[in-house]
Amino acid sequence: MKKIVFLVAALVLSVTAMAQVQEAYPSYVQVEGYAEMEVDPDEFYLSIVINERDSKGKITVETQQRQMIEAFSQLGIDVEKQLKMSDMNSVFFKKNNTLTTASYELKLNTSKEVAAVYAALDGLGISDISIARVDNTEIERYKDQVRAEAMANAKKTAESLAGAVGQKIGKCFYIYDISGYRGVARYADSAMYMSANSEMKVAEPTLEFKKIRVEHTVQTKFVLE
């Protein structure tokens, strides 16, 4: 019962507040502003999984890890800073067979490094590799920029609408962030182009990544004068 009373009271206050705003600004224009930007990723996070099975001539996770780290060092990767172990576990099956799995996350800074790592791991027989995510070191600054552009676009639209009826806009008395946060970065799936069977021979393997889309939407109300 208390919850119902509280909700009713909140609703009444909300309606009252809206009525007061309507009374204070009887003539206004309501518009949405939208802006977007595409930026190149400069941080690439790879998920690497190494598996070991009990079988004749098995290669342990430790051996594969040592080979992997050596390969990374040869590529100029700072293993201590850029490679982290995510998980390691063992599952026991019948006949004392054991499956051991180790998961890692590797942070890289260029698509060229990503291509080189894929090639190196493929040479070691490690094929369980995927792009966990991509990012940009300046993404927060881009979010702020796009949010400001969305607001500027809302104002421009309001001015255009008001001008069409021979009026001007005054102050903005209402701003609602439709996105619910500072901006949204859509990390598109990576588009990768690497093929050992390709007829075209290139000096180095290459990878192509889609850009990161940053977008923002705001809802505004401006006084009509």
Side-chain angles (χ1 to χ4, degrees):
M1 179 62 71
K2 290 183 178 180
K3 290 184 178 179
I4 295 176
V5 173
F6 177 78
L7 290 174
V8 171
L11 180 60
V12 170
L13 289 174
S14 178
V15 172
T16 302
M18 290 178 64
Q20 291 175 345
V21 169
Q22 182 69 31
E23 182 179 353
Y25 306 108
S27 181
Y28 65 88
V29 57
Q30 176 177 318
V31 297
E32 288 187 1
Y34 174 81
E36 66 177 34
M37 176 190 298
E38 289 190 340
V39 297
D40 291 312
D42 61 8
E43 290 183 336
F44 306 86
Y45 294 85
L46 273 62
S47 174
I48 304 169
V49 179
I50 296 178
N51 296 300
E52 168 197 309
R53 287 184 180 276
D54 273 341
S55 60
K56 184 177 181 180
K58 74 174 182 181
I59 303 178
T60 65
V61 165
E62 289 75 13
T63 297
Q64 295 179 77
Q65 177 180 270
R66 185 169 58 253
Q67 294 173 343
M68 179 179 69
I69 290 176
E70 182 179 349
F72 289 167
S73 298
Q74 292 177 357
L75 293 175
I77 295 172
D78 189 335
V79 176
E80 291 187 2
K81 293 182 178 180
Q82 296 175 245
L83 181 66
K84 294 189 298 184
M85 176 174 285
S86 303
D87 186 33
M88 175 177 281
N89 59 73
S90 297
V91 181
F92 294 91
F93 295 93
K94 294 179 179 180
K95 299 181 180 179
N96 296 322
N97 288 330
T98 304
L99 169 63
T100 302
T101 301
S103 302
Y104 309 83
E105 182 180 80
L106 178 67
K107 177 184 177 183
L108 300 172
N109 298 314
T110 67
S111 58
K112 184 178 179 180
E113 287 182 331
V114 176
V117 165
Y118 264 87
L121 293 179
D122 183 65
L124 295 175
I126 300 174
S127 59
D128 195 346
I129 319 162
S130 61
I131 305 294
R133 66 186 189 279
V134 297
D135 210 334
N136 185 288
T137 52
E138 297 292 322
I139 198 66
E140 292 303 321
R141 180 171 66 84
Y142 292 132
K143 287 180 181 180
D144 286 341
Q145 183 178 337
V146 171
R147 180 178 60 176
E149 289 178 0
M151 190 64 204
N153 289 338
K155 182 180 179 181
K156 183 177 180 180
T157 300
E159 290 174 337
S160 177
L161 291 174
V165 292
Q167 293 183 268
K168 295 181 180 180
I169 63 168
K171 67 179 181 180
C172 177
F173 65 92
Y174 176 87
I175 302 174
Y176 176 63
D177 182 356
I178 294 178
S179 300
Y181 35 85
R182 298 177 63 190
V184 59
R186 291 185 176 174
Y187 303 102
D189 292 336
S190 307
M192 298 181 290
Y193 305 95
M194 284 179 60
S195 176
N197 299 322
S198 175
E199 294 180 359
M200 294 181 62
K201 294 182 179 180
V202 295
E204 295 181 348
T206 58
L207 290 178
E208 296 292 337
F209 289 86
K210 293 180 180 180
K211 294 179 181 292
I212 298 171
R213 181 185 296 274
V214 183
E215 58 183 12
H216 205 89
T217 303
V218 294
Q219 187 179 88
T220 62
K221 294 180 182 180
F222 293 86
V223 176
L224 279 175
E225 297 179 342

